Amino acid sequence: MIIFMCGIIGFTGNKPVKNILINGLEQLEYRGYDSAGIAVLDENGINIRKRTGKVAQLREAAMDLNEEAYCGIGHTRWATHGGVTNVNAHPHKSGRVVLIHNGIIENYRELITEYGLKNKLVSETDTEVVAALLDTLYSGDPIKTIRKAVDLISGSFALCIMFEDHPGIIYAVRNVSPMVAASFDGSSIIASDITAIIPYTKRYFVVPEYHILTIDKGSIKCEDLNGNTVEPEILEVNWDISSAQKGGYPYFMLKEIYEQPDALDRTVRPRVENGLPYLEEDGISDSLFKGIKNITVIACGTAMHAGMVGKYVFENKLRIPVNVEIASEFRYKDPIIDKDTLTIVLSQSGETIDTLEALRLAKRKGSPVLSIVNVKGSTIARESDYVLYTHAGPEIAVASTKAYTVQIAAMYLIACRFGLVKGIMSEEEAREFISKLENVRTLIEETLKSANTIKMVANRIMISPDVFYIGRGIDYTLSLEASLKLKEISYIHSEAYAAGELKHGTIALISENVPVIAIATEKNVYSKVISNVKEVKSRGAYVVLVSHDDKIDDTSICDMQIRLPEADSTFSVFATAVVLQLIAYYTSDAKGLDVDKPRNLAKSVTVE
Ligand code: F6R
């Protein structure tokens, strides 16, 4: 399995390029952080610096680089294809060509053989093969050469290319792997996402697939593979650079946890009219819901966990069957869906390749696709029939937090509108539902006051090799997400169990001092969860109870308690999520780890 997700940036214009590239790479570091490199191009040729480690190390290595170069490309790498070495880091140069790449070249072996490239290669990467291929094909006309190469390579790619004899110009082309570009004040910029562009301009466009960009100072030409000029649609970012900075918080993750009340407001309030959900402005008309008999939710990881919460509401409140599917499984199935199934796709980035491929399959099966996406203009958004954008703002920490809660809120808005259209929910019930949804901000703010208690829990569990989360119903779905969050940023082994399932095997793992975090917000199963808690407590577990209870002094129930503000469990999920996110955050921080950049992970998973 080849995994390759990287940050890329290119700049040409009227400012020295070195620091623009390095600063941009710092913004993009969350996409990959094994190694980083830049190449600058001026009349004297191409100069490259690359280093394993963080961008800070590259900054050092680039100290001696020409400050007077005005055109260049840069890359942060996250790779398992070819070890983490200076040689394998990008940019890769072959003859007159230098390039950076995000994606996978699937037929690189065939290309090496067919075009006799072996002697040109010094690294173990598929990327260098493209550089060698371009140099072999190069006739002095970059566009013609790129066209030929694109015809020969298969796989996913976002490529930024410079030719030594064309100073001041960057060429770019992509398939699947995302890229956005913009021109402003005599300069032009291209990057794998808008966080690197936003310090310069809010207006950008998504690079169309299989189109070649000629990026010159202050102008960008976009043409299809037949040479026809195309004018891409200009989009505008609705957040500013401060949203992509830490703003005084030690880590983005903590900032993003605290941003949740605002993110929820921005996602919910514009979609409420007279106390009822209103989705027409998003292009989602009631007719979409009329013939729908069931729902399939497709997503990966945290987004899928948000889908599970949505399922709970659809099924319990509306009695509409919902199937939640792991995108990477769904895409290789022959799924039982048709035009009567509404497919809801959840994705923060809008670029997750498994989710995208699953979406395409659902469409081929005739199912209308409504996606819930955070990144405007992303591939998933563009390929869906309907889009409900979440307005979380940029999520930089690799571990998803605010994107998860806004995805749940978006699912709730859809469920409520759906219920109204189908006559399953009365206007009065819908008004009450929406008013509770609008009030979750208060629940979260109240919960954030428990940060110190949560820190104490984190200090206790940071020394444990294993942590278990248990809950029933909606709390079980939260346990799954809590467990994922903890393991991905603290590297502590963790599992989530439906509380009633423990006694069917897993309870054998419970021994003296093993932490069990029990979530008990559902009234109808509360006493059942408490019975399960007592089962683990009597076997020596260290129990943390997350519930609405008043203070519990009974040590036969729990060792620590985190109290949630009183609310119906459907709406408590937002507050509970915050508690669980903070447990993971403080545990990782207490262990001295880099919370925002956990090992082996990258923010946007653009390969399968
Ligand atoms: C975990 C996390 C991932 C993502 C998953 C899907 O904290 O962030 O599990 O939720 O990779 O990503 P998107 O939502 O961008 O499709």
Side-chain angles (χ1 to χ4, degrees), residues 515-537:
V516 174
I517 300 176
I519 309 162
T521 71
E522 281 221 54
K523 293 213 166 37
N524 62 334
V525 287
Y526 175 81
S527 61
K528 305 285 175 202
V529 179
I530 296 301
S531 302
N532 302 133
V533 164
K534 287 186 172 168
E535 283 158 16
V536 292
K537 192 77 195 83

Side-chain angles (χ1 to χ4, degrees), residues 428-445:
E428 198 188 333
E429 286 166 328
R431 276 211 174 82
E432 195 189 331
F433 185 91
I434 292 295
S435 135
K436 286 183 178 167
L437 182 58
E438 287 183 309
N439 189 43
V440 295
R441 139 165 234 126
T442 325
L443 300 179
I444 294 179
E445 282 167 351

Side-chain angles (χ1 to χ4, degrees), residues 274-542:
N274 297 323
L276 294 173
Y278 176 76
L279 307 177
E280 289 275 342
E281 293 230 323
D282 294 284
I284 304 168
S285 70
D286 290 350
S287 58
L288 167 64
F289 302 129
K290 286 209 170 106
I292 297 299
K293 298 199 174 72
N294 54 60
I295 292 173
T296 287
V297 173
I298 299 171
C300 299
T302 292
M304 186 194 60
H305 294 152
M308 287 176 148
V309 180
K311 168 187 168 85
Y312 181 89
V313 170
F314 267 104
E315 292 192 339
N316 282 279
K317 300 233 182 287
L318 308 179
R319 315 298 302 151
I320 299 290
V322 178
N323 205 11
V324 178
E325 297 270 2
I326 298 171
S328 55
E329 290 291 313
F330 181 89
R331 61 178 287 194
Y332 293 112
K333 271 187 177 177
D334 184 8
I336 309 173
I337 57 169
D338 58 21
K339 62 174 182 19
D340 299 334
T341 306
L342 173 65
T343 296
I344 300 182
V345 170
L346 293 159
S347 178
Q348 187 285 128
S349 61
E351 302 293 350
T352 304
I353 194 72
D354 284 323
T355 311
L356 175 63
E357 289 299 340
L359 173 163
R360 288 174 175 160
L361 175 59
K363 277 178 87 172
R364 286 200 296 277
K365 290 270 173 188
S367 167
V369 175
L370 192 176
S371 66
I372 297 173
V373 177
N374 196 41
V375 177
K376 223 169 160 183
S378 54
T379 314
I380 289 176
R382 282 181 291 116
E383 294 205 12
S384 300
D385 300 311
Y386 307 89
V387 187
L388 190 68
Y389 281 112
T390 49
H391 297 303
E395 194 180 61
I396 309 289
V398 164
S400 185
T401 52
K402 59 179 179 173
Y404 168 73
T405 43
V406 295
Q407 281 163 349
I408 296 173
M411 289 287 289
Y412 280 19
L413 284 169
I414 295 167
C416 194
R417 188 73 221 170
F418 192 104
L420 272 173
V421 174
K422 292 281 209 182
I424 309 165
M425 242 189 198
S426 67
E427 279 204 8
E428 198 188 333
E429 286 166 328
R431 276 211 174 82
E432 195 189 331
F433 185 91
I434 292 295
S435 135
K436 286 183 178 167
L437 182 58
E438 287 183 309
N439 189 43
V440 295
R441 139 165 234 126
T442 325
L443 300 179
I444 294 179
E445 282 167 351
E446 192 56 35
T447 306
L448 287 168
K449 292 182 190 154
S450 306
N452 281 337
T453 317
I454 297 169
K455 234 183 250 180
M456 283 158 65
V457 172
N459 287 336
R460 170 65 185 73
I461 67 176
M462 68 170 276
I463 49 167
S464 305
D466 311 287
V467 173
F468 292 85
Y469 288 87
I470 58 170
R472 287 174 183 249
I474 207 165
D475 294 334
Y476 169 52
T477 70
L478 285 156
S479 303
L480 290 166
E481 172 55 13
S483 172
L484 171 61
K485 212 90 302 170
L486 184 74
K487 54 192 151 206
E488 74 176 314
I489 59 170
S490 75
Y491 317 148
I492 293 175
H493 165 250
S494 162
E495 291 193 38
Y497 273 89
E501 190 59 15
L502 273 186
K503 55 187 171 295
H504 298 289
T506 312
I507 202 158
L509 295 173
I510 305 295
S511 59
E512 209 59 37
N513 289 325
V514 171
V516 174
I517 300 176
I519 309 162
T521 71
E522 281 221 54
K523 293 213 166 37
N524 62 334
V525 287
Y526 175 81
S527 61
K528 305 285 175 202
V529 179
I530 296 301
S531 302
N532 302 133
V533 164
K534 287 186 172 168
E535 283 158 16
V536 292
K537 192 77 195 83
S538 63
R539 283 158 180 88
Y542 175 85

